[in-house]
């Protein structure tokens, strides 16, 4: 398969989860700013980030990349 590992994980994420992850880790947005932009609570924002990181970690481990 020619799909890069991160791209594969990216395509399997709900759009909201991907948006939150990208804003936090590529654009360095604060938890508060992300929560406000999507009209969700800060705790939900943190949960989304935690679950997305976990999925990425599990995938990278299964591919032998971690």
């Amino acid at each position: 398969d020619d799909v890069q590992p991160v791209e594969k994980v990216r395509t399997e994420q709900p759009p909201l989860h991907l948006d939150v992850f990208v804003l936090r880790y590529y654009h360095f947005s604060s938890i508060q700013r992300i929560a406000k932009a999507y009209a969700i609570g800060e705790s939900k924002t943190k949960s989304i980030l935690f679950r997305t990181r976990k999925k990425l970690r599990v995938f990278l481990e299964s591919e032998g990349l971690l």
Side-chain angles (χ1 to χ4, degrees):
D1 197 318
D2 290 346
V3 177
Q4 295 294 321
V6 173
E7 180 68 17
K8 182 174 171 125
V9 171
R10 185 192 69 78
T11 60
E12 295 173 354
Q13 297 303 308
L16 174 62
H17 291 205
L18 178 61
D19 290 348
V20 168
F21 188 84
V22 168
L23 283 171
R24 181 68 175 156
Y25 297 112
Y26 289 100
H27 297 287
F28 305 104
S29 294
S30 69
I31 299 293
Q32 296 82 10
R33 176 170 268 175
I34 295 166
K36 187 174 180 182
Y38 287 94
I40 58 177
E42 289 180 27
S43 61
K44 180 172 178 79
T45 303
K46 291 175 186 178
S47 294
I48 289 169
L49 291 167
F50 175 80
R51 287 192 302 268
T52 305
R53 285 191 314 267
K54 184 177 178 182
K55 288 178 185 177
L56 180 58
R57 182 177 57 251
V58 167
F59 177 76
L60 292 174
E61 288 173 348
S62 74
E63 294 292 312
L65 298 170
L66 278 183

